[in-house]
Amino acid sequence: AMRMRLVLFVLLMGVTAITFGQKFQGGVFAGLNASRIQNDGYSGFKKLGLNGGAFVQREIVGDLGWKMELKYAARGMYHHPTPAIPTIQLSNITYLELPLSITYLYNEKVEVELGVAPDVLLTEYYEDEDGPLDPSYSANLRRFGLNGFVGVNYYLHERVAVGLRYTTSAIPFYTFDYWTPRYFSSGYFHNVIS
């Protein structure tokens, strides 16, 4: 019930922002995520997932603007069997994000963005070579998180763009029980290319 109220509140805020002024622009987007989990012992962006949502944006001054999104994102990790490690590991973790960014539009074609994205955990699924794992496997995941991102979009047309974004957790979504000398070694962090 609490999660549904939070989702409804965020949706209503997004709809309110769209109708607030005439200079707002908005739209929808969809794409693929290639993700990995930092500090899980595996390498590579091998987990594919979908992302999509809606956005509003507005010019601040000149070519500088801001953008707010409401985004569904599937992240996680995938390890396929290898001769060295003959097991399968899969995690599929989905989130509702609220990315907020500052944008700079260069030459009417290239938009650079820098921002933060609070998120709410929606679902989680874990599997190994024997099938699905018990849900208690992930009992200590943070339900709310914060990410930082940087991206670039290229406008093919005034209303159509393709983009590339790198997102990383600003705080670990799972914290280890032991002390580590470096912050980014203190738990599991999402790294996502979308």
Side-chain angles (χ1 to χ4, degrees):
M2 182 61 177
R3 186 179 287 176
M4 184 53 110
R5 282 188 222 142
L6 178 64
V7 170
L8 186 59
F9 173 76
V10 171
L11 284 172
L12 290 175
M13 291 304 293
V15 171
T16 302
I18 292 171
T19 60
F20 190 72
Q22 293 181 347
K23 295 196 178 204
F24 281 91
Q25 297 174 330
V28 296
F29 61 90
L32 268 179
N33 287 340
S35 63
R36 73 181 207 95
I37 295 176
Q38 183 176 321
N39 301 325
D40 69 354
Y42 303 109
S43 63
F45 291 83
K46 298 175 185 167
K47 167 67 175 76
L48 297 180
L50 298 176
N51 75 60
F55 71 91
V56 293
Q57 63 185 20
R58 184 174 176 158
E59 177 185 300
I60 296 172
V61 61
D63 293 327
L64 195 64
W66 64 265
K67 184 188 312 183
M68 179 177 76
E69 303 169 15
L70 184 62
K71 178 181 179 182
Y72 166 87
R75 308 180 203 154
M77 61 81 64
Y78 174 71
H79 170 76
H80 61 279
T82 63
I85 307 172
T87 60
I88 295 174
Q89 294 292 321
L90 168 71
S91 67
N92 186 40
I93 309 171
T94 62
Y95 291 90
L96 181 66
E97 298 179 10
L98 187 64
L100 306 165
S101 60
I102 296 295
T103 62
Y104 178 77
L105 184 62
Y106 175 74
N107 203 20
E108 302 287 323
K109 287 283 190 186
V110 178
E111 179 184 66
V112 178
E113 59 184 359
L114 178 68
V116 297
D119 64 29
V120 176
L121 177 66
L122 295 177
T123 64
E124 50 196 305
Y125 174 80
Y126 303 91
E127 185 177 307
D128 65 13
E129 63 278 0
D130 296 323
L133 297 173
D134 187 314
S136 65
Y137 178 77
S138 62
N140 295 324
L141 290 190
R142 290 186 198 273
R143 300 299 178 214
F144 299 95
L146 182 66
N147 308 286
F149 65 90
V150 61
V152 62
N153 300 303
Y154 180 78
Y155 284 87
L156 302 170
H157 179 271
E158 181 181 313
R159 297 180 186 262
V160 178
V162 294
L164 185 65
R165 179 183 284 180
Y166 177 76
T167 304
T168 188
S169 302
I171 57 175
F173 67 91
Y174 177 88
T175 304
F176 298 144
D177 290 335
Y178 53 86
W179 182 84
T180 59
R182 288 179 282 178
Y183 178 71
F184 285 104
S185 298
S186 66
Y188 292 141
F189 294 80
H190 289 292
N191 300 142
V192 183
I193 298 172
S194 51

